[in-house]
Amino acid sequence: MNKFETNKNDVLKICKVIGIIMIISLSILKIINSNQIEPYVDEIFHIPQTIKYCEFKFKEWDNKITTLPGLYILALIYSNILSMFGIGDGIWISHCSVVVLRSFNVFCLIITFFSIYEILKISTYNNLLLSTSTSTSTSSSPSTSTLSLSAIKKINQKKIIENQNSIKNTIILRTIHLSIFPIFYFFHFLFYTDVVSTLTIFLTLLFSLKNQFNLSSFFGLISVTIRQTNIIWVFFITINNILKLYEENKEKENKIKELNLIKEIIEFIKFSISNLLLIIKKFIGFIMVGILFLIFLYWNGSIVVGDKSNHESSFHVTQLFYFSLITMLFSLPSILISSIVKRFENENQKQFQYDPIEFLKNINFKYLIIIIITMILMIWKFTYTHLFLLSDNRHYTFYIWNRFIERYTIGRYLPIPFYCYSIWFIWKVLSENRSKLWCLFYFLSTTIVLLPSPLVEPRYYIVPFFLFQLNQFHYYNNNNFIIQFKKNDKNLNFKRIYQLITLDILYFILINFITIFIFIKYPFIYPDGTIGRFFY
């Protein structure tokens, strides 16, 4: 349970930060609207459909739309709330106009910020409590090694509470960092499903962490009505709630030592079966969401509504490679830099090092050759080139694909070393912060979401990227910080942590500035006179 108390100063600080982000975001929205007032790309489907809902024409449906109408219903509610306050009837802003509907995503940023902050507050506390207890129990001090886990937790809890203001400052900085994740942040300025879809997953996760499972499952249901594949993330959150019960039971029985993966899976299944009634009672809301989704599948005959021709399932293994590379690239520079710094500080410290040098030192080259050969076969056999990827030159992926990957025969295979490192990087970071079972569920869920999609869309990576970021705590895994915890230092040095997170924030700001600037300032004109703009 989260022991941090949110006081008036914290709320004031968060409100100031959100205020600055909203002023900047609304200014960007105004500039984009003045340059691109007409619906753009997928907006040509989403906006007219929402206008039909605003006119209460619920039976009219565009068959080219492949998602359920959750976004349109929420946008209808939002636009009517604005109308109640006299907003939305002017010349520049009309009821359910492009401007109003795009502003919906921008205002969602407020709830997103609070959601990320609360998730990080809970998970950071729990991680510090457990990770520091592990480091304490493995120290050479006989006085600490004989203590029970609960006693160690009490000691660590006291240390955490003593430093809670500094820890909360790091959480605010991390919230800023994640809120402006470039792929996610960019789509706040267009009326796409991604922002609200991701927000509802955040709320599902947040209330799950707060043990408010009925509310959590409610937001899970809403998330599925916005994007059907969110059912996988609802399942992921549900199974991790069961995993939490399993780990609490192990702690009660003093079975702290983690087993190998196969034995852990067997024990988890045994626990789930023996506690089936408790699980059903506790997570009935999630079970109902699952049942409703199965009814929808039976009635619809497919996970896709409307036009199924451009969204047929595939076995697109290389999607996982692309995702791992994107995750690694957007996790730079702080993880890599902190790892290199730790290497210079203490060459013998193998834990919490994620740089390529550590990868080369740890990898078994016999296995690496087998992995590379397997990847070559996978890329050769299971790389899909979707029609949209070849024809839509407004997306960055079009140029990467046509001018590098498809242009040269070897283009598909050159990134393989980077794929190997990226996959190792994700596994290494998560496995040092989460249990083997958690990591297994994460990789399975990510695979189930990405594998069937033949279209390479960076937007599809948003939720798994966030789940990776929300469950890694490398900022606290630096040598000095751990040593201070072991020594019960009441005044921990947070200077490096602040520096690393600030570096990440600046990195995202730079990418956002470049991509938004290109979108606004470098349009191109098609032969028929329509304007195109570059974006993700």
Side-chain angles (χ1 to χ4, degrees):
M1 187 177 176
N2 181 30
K3 300 294 181 182
F4 290 144
E5 292 181 5
T6 303
N7 54 43
K8 289 182 181 179
N9 289 333
D10 296 329
V11 174
L12 188 62
K13 198 181 293 182
I14 293 166
C15 287
K16 284 179 181 178
V17 172
I18 290 177
I20 293 168
I21 293 174
M22 286 302 296
I23 289 168
I24 295 168
S25 300
L26 287 170
S27 301
I28 294 169
L29 179 64
K30 187 175 181 180
I31 295 167
I32 286 176
N33 285 334
S34 63
N35 284 273
Q36 182 65 48
I37 192 60
E38 296 299 320
Y40 191 66
V41 193
D42 285 5
E43 284 186 324
I44 64 174
F45 307 114
H46 296 311
I47 289 175
Q49 185 61 52
T50 307
I51 290 170
K52 287 177 184 177
Y53 272 54
C54 289
E55 294 169 351
F56 301 103
K57 297 176 182 177
F58 297 113
K59 291 184 179 180
E60 293 186 20
W61 183 261
D62 184 349
N63 280 325
K64 290 184 179 179
I65 295 171
T66 58
T67 54
L68 291 168
L71 174 66
Y72 315 133
I73 295 167
L74 292 173
L76 166 64
I77 295 167
Y78 168 78
S79 61
N80 277 282
I81 290 170
L82 290 185
S83 294
M84 286 168 59
F85 289 95
I87 304 170
D89 297 316
I91 297 170
W92 185 62
I93 302 177
S94 59
H95 183 60
C96 279
S97 66
V98 174
V99 174
V100 167
L101 295 178
R102 284 178 181 170
S103 72
F104 176 47
N105 277 342
V106 174
F107 279 102
C108 281
L109 191 55
I110 299 170
I111 308 171
T112 298
F113 192 94
F114 274 107
S115 300
I116 294 173
Y117 175 79
E118 287 297 317
I119 290 167
L120 283 173
K121 196 168 71 169
I122 296 168
S123 56
T124 300
Y125 172 82
N126 290 335
N127 181 76
L128 286 174
L129 194 67
L130 293 171
S131 64
T132 54
S133 67
T134 304
S135 64
T136 309
S137 62
T138 54
S139 68
S140 57
S141 173
S143 59
T144 57
S145 61
T146 56
L147 289 173
S148 67
L149 183 60
S150 59
I152 293 169
K153 278 186 176 183
K154 285 181 181 178
I155 294 170
N156 291 327
Q157 183 176 313
K158 185 180 178 182
K159 288 187 284 182
I160 293 166
I161 298 300
E162 285 170 351
N163 290 277
Q164 67 172 310
N165 288 332
S166 297
I167 295 171
K168 280 190 281 189
N169 286 337
T170 68
I171 293 168
I172 291 172
L173 285 173
R174 283 213 67 198
T175 306
I176 297 168
H177 167 231
L178 294 181
S179 297
I180 60 171
F181 169 48
I183 299 173
F184 178 64
Y185 184 71
F186 183 90
F187 285 98
H188 283 79
F189 309 110
L190 297 174
F191 189 63
Y192 272 55
T193 59
D194 302 274
V195 170
V196 185
S197 170
T198 306
L199 172 57
T200 52
I201 292 296
F202 283 147
L203 292 170
T204 305
L205 177 60
L206 172 60
F207 289 108
S208 171
L209 291 171
K210 289 176 175 284
N211 295 326
Q212 297 177 25
F213 300 118
N214 289 334
L215 199 52
S216 175
S217 58
F218 170 73
F219 283 110
L221 179 62
I222 292 174
S223 75
V224 176
T225 67
I226 297 166
R227 181 171 286 174
Q228 295 91 298
T229 52
N230 282 343
I231 191 66
I232 306 301
W233 300 119
V234 175
F235 172 78
F236 172 76
I237 292 167
T238 307
I239 202 163
N240 275 299
N241 282 319
I242 300 170
L243 178 60
K244 186 180 175 184
L245 291 177
Y246 167 69
E247 289 172 345
E248 286 172 354
N249 184 67
K250 279 178 68 178
E251 189 178 321
K252 283 179 185 177
E253 295 179 358
N254 207 25
K255 296 178 181 177
I256 301 166
K257 188 178 179 182
E258 196 171 23
L259 306 170
N260 67 56
L261 185 57
I262 302 298
K263 288 182 179 178
E264 202 74 71
I265 292 169
I266 293 168
E267 288 300 313
F268 177 73
I269 293 169
K270 284 181 180 177
F271 171 82
S272 301
I273 293 169
S274 61
N275 293 274
L276 189 59
L277 291 177
L278 172 66
I279 290 168
I280 291 171
K281 184 180 178 182
K282 206 173 185 69
F283 307 121
I284 187 66
F286 293 112
I287 294 167
M288 291 304 297
V289 173
I291 291 169
L292 288 171
F293 184 77
L294 290 174
I295 293 169
F296 158 74
L297 278 183
Y298 177 78
W299 171 75
N300 189 56
S302 169
I303 195 171
V304 178
V305 298
D307 182 17
K308 299 177 177 66
S309 60
N310 289 314
H311 293 82
E312 294 176 356
S313 295
S314 64
F315 190 72
H316 200 176
V317 179
T318 50
Q319 280 276 27
L320 302 172
F321 303 158
Y322 307 145
F323 162 70
S324 65
L325 188 61
I326 289 288
T327 300
M328 187 271 291
L329 290 173
F330 278 106
S331 296
L332 297 175
S334 72
I335 292 181
L336 186 61
I337 287 175
S338 63
S339 187
I340 292 169
V341 169
K342 279 178 277 186
R343 185 172 296 284
F344 283 107
E345 276 185 350
N346 185 356
E347 291 181 2
N348 297 320
Q349 184 188 344
K350 293 183 178 180
Q351 202 175 20
F352 310 126
Q353 288 183 345
Y354 317 117
D355 57 89
I357 298 170
E358 187 67 16
F359 169 68
L360 293 171
K361 284 172 68 177
N362 277 271
I363 198 74
N364 184 313
F365 280 93
K366 290 180 181 178
Y367 291 135
L368 182 61
I369 291 167
I370 294 169
I371 290 167
I372 289 172
I373 292 169
T374 304
M375 280 188 167
I376 290 170
L377 292 172
M378 290 289 186
I379 292 168
W380 170 66
K381 188 69 178 174
F382 299 112
T383 296
Y384 291 88
T385 306
H386 197 281
L387 177 64
F388 292 169
L389 194 60
L390 295 175
S391 60
D392 195 343
N393 65 342
R394 293 166 294 190
H395 298 278
Y396 298 135
T397 48
F398 170 88
Y399 299 95
I400 295 169
W401 197 265
N402 287 279
R403 297 190 178 179
F404 176 69
I405 293 176
E406 283 297 294
R407 188 171 183 178
Y408 305 103
T409 307
I410 201 171
R412 292 184 180 189
Y413 306 100
L414 281 178
I416 284 176
F418 299 100
Y419 297 151
C420 291
Y421 170 66
S422 300
I423 293 167
W424 172 86
F425 167 84
I426 294 170
W427 173 260
K428 173 89 170 166
V429 171
L430 287 178
S431 63
E432 288 181 347
N433 292 284
R434 292 296 180 220
S435 67
K436 292 173 185 174
L437 282 178
W438 191 99
C439 295
L440 175 66
F441 297 147
Y442 171 78
F443 280 101
L444 283 176
S445 300
T446 302
T447 301
I448 295 167
V449 169
L450 298 180
L451 199 69
S453 175
L455 180 60
V456 179
E457 271 274 18
R459 294 182 293 123
Y460 298 163
Y461 308 147
I462 290 173
V463 173
F465 173 83
F466 273 125
L467 289 172
F468 168 78
Q469 282 287 340
L470 290 168
N471 289 280
Q472 60 87 8
F473 304 92
H474 79 274
Y475 301 103
Y476 303 101
N477 292 339
N478 70 69
N479 202 37
N480 291 335
F481 192 84
I482 293 169
I483 289 169
Q484 283 179 299
F485 248 114
K486 285 182 179 182
K487 290 181 177 179
N488 295 326
D489 194 330
K490 291 183 179 180
N491 298 300
L492 295 170
N493 183 10
F494 283 83
K495 184 179 178 181
R496 176 176 295 171
I497 296 174
Y498 294 153
Q499 289 171 341
L500 289 171
I501 305 175
T502 303
L503 195 61
D504 276 337
I505 292 170
L506 293 174
Y507 179 55
F508 278 6
I509 288 172
L510 177 63
I511 296 170
N512 281 322
F513 176 79
I514 292 169
T515 52
I516 293 168
F517 184 80
I518 289 171
F519 183 81
I520 295 167
K521 291 294 182 182
Y522 291 96
F524 57 92
I525 300 173
Y526 288 106
D528 64 357
T530 56
I531 296 174
R533 297 179 185 274
F534 302 107
F535 74 133
Y536 291 103

